[in-house]
Structures are given as structure tokens and as C-alpha cells.
């Protein structure tokens, strides 16, 4: 079971690194990839991206280094909350096809949180 959780952690971390990197450091590419980005303040989008990057690090390092491993499920729970808020944003904007990605990210983060708590 531990190996399965590590695989999910790795997949989730990669997904959040990709999304966070675009939002934080490749804003123009994020604007062309996601319609909602152009309607939000740039600083908010960059902040969300940085939060996702920090969260991705939190999914891996505490558990891998066995230094305060309780931070891994906390990071996963926080990332799930961020993505849930994103799904709510998509619902209010009637971007229903975008919600599937949010659901996938929430499931990955929730599996890590449950598996590591």
C-alpha cells in the first residue's frame, strides 16, 4: 500500500508542479491555456501558482525525508481545498468541462491525505 501511495504522491506532485509553474512563471501561456486566467488579477494567479508549487513540494519532501511527515497530508488537504475552490469558480463561470480536471486533482490529493494521515 505504501508504494501505491508514493505513486499517487508522485503523480499529484507532477500535476501540481505543471499547473503551478504555468501560473507562477509562464503567465502568458497560462492565459492561452485557461480562459479564467485572463479574468483574474495577475497577482492572484501567480499566488495560486506559487501555492501549488509549495504544496507539491509538501507532498513529497516531508515524507521522503522523514522530517515532520505530518506536513504531507496537510499539504494534500490544502491542495484539495485550493482545487475545490477552483472547481467552484468554474461552476460559477459555467465552465463545466474544466471541472473534470479539478475532480482528478482533488481525488489525487485526497488519496494522499487519507493514505498519509
Amino acid at each position: 500500500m505504501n508504494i501505491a501511495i508514493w505513486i499517487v504522491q508522485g503523480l499529484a506532485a507532477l500535476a501540481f508542479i505543471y499547473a503551478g509553474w504555468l501560473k507562477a512563471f509562464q503567465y502568458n501561456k497560462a492565459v492561452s491555456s485557461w480562459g479564467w486566467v485572463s479574468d483574474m488579477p495577475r497577482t492572484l494567479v501567480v499566488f495560486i501558482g506559487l501555492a501549488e508549487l509549495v504544496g507539491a513540494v509538501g507532498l513529497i519532501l516531508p515524507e521522503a525525508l522523514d522530517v515532520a511527515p505530518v506536513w504531507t497530508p496537510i499539504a494534500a488537504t490544502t491542495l484539495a481545498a485550493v482545487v475545490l475552490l477552483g472547481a467552484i469558480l468554474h461552476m460559477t463561470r459555467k465552465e463545466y468541462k474544466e471541472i473534470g480536471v479539478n475532480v482528478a486533482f482533488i481525488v489525487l490529493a485526497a488519496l494522499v491525505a487519507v493514505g498519509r494521515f
Side-chain angles (χ1 to χ4, degrees), residues 41-65:
R42 184 178 182 147
T43 53
L44 176 61
V45 174
V46 170
F47 176 76
I48 293 168
L50 291 173
E52 289 176 344
L53 289 170
V54 170
V57 170
L59 287 177
I60 301 296
L61 284 185
E63 190 75 28
L65 299 176

Side-chain angles (χ1 to χ4, degrees), residues 58-59 61-75 116-117:
L59 287 177
L61 284 185
E63 190 75 28
L65 299 176
D66 198 27
V67 176
V70 71
W71 284 105
T72 294
I74 291 171
R116 293 296 180 203
F117 262 129

Side-chain angles (χ1 to χ4, degrees), residues 24-116:
F25 299 111
Q26 295 186 332
Y27 180 78
N28 292 332
K29 191 171 180 180
V31 168
S32 65
S33 297
W34 302 306
W36 65 270
V37 174
S38 61
D39 296 334
M40 298 293 147
R42 184 178 182 147
T43 53
L44 176 61
V45 174
V46 170
F47 176 76
I48 293 168
L50 291 173
E52 289 176 344
L53 289 170
V54 170
V57 170
L59 287 177
I60 301 296
L61 284 185
E63 190 75 28
L65 299 176
D66 198 27
V67 176
V70 71
W71 284 105
T72 294
I74 291 171
T77 303
T78 304
L79 285 169
V82 168
V83 178
L84 178 62
L85 291 173
I88 292 169
L89 173 72
H90 290 308
M91 283 190 278
T92 62
R93 294 173 50 91
K94 297 183 181 14
E95 299 172 337
Y96 300 115
K97 69 178 188 171
E98 303 292 331
I99 296 172
V101 174
N102 292 108
V103 170
F105 276 53
I106 290 169
V107 167
L108 288 172
L111 286 171
V112 173
V114 170
R116 293 296 180 203

Side-chain angles (χ1 to χ4, degrees), residues 2-41:
N2 190 42
I3 293 172
I5 296 171
W6 272 114
I7 291 169
V8 172
Q9 279 176 252
L11 291 173
L14 288 174
F16 281 108
I17 287 170
Y18 173 75
W21 187 264
L22 282 181
K23 292 172 193 144
F25 299 111
Q26 295 186 332
Y27 180 78
N28 292 332
K29 191 171 180 180
V31 168
S32 65
S33 297
W34 302 306
W36 65 270
V37 174
S38 61
D39 296 334
M40 298 293 147

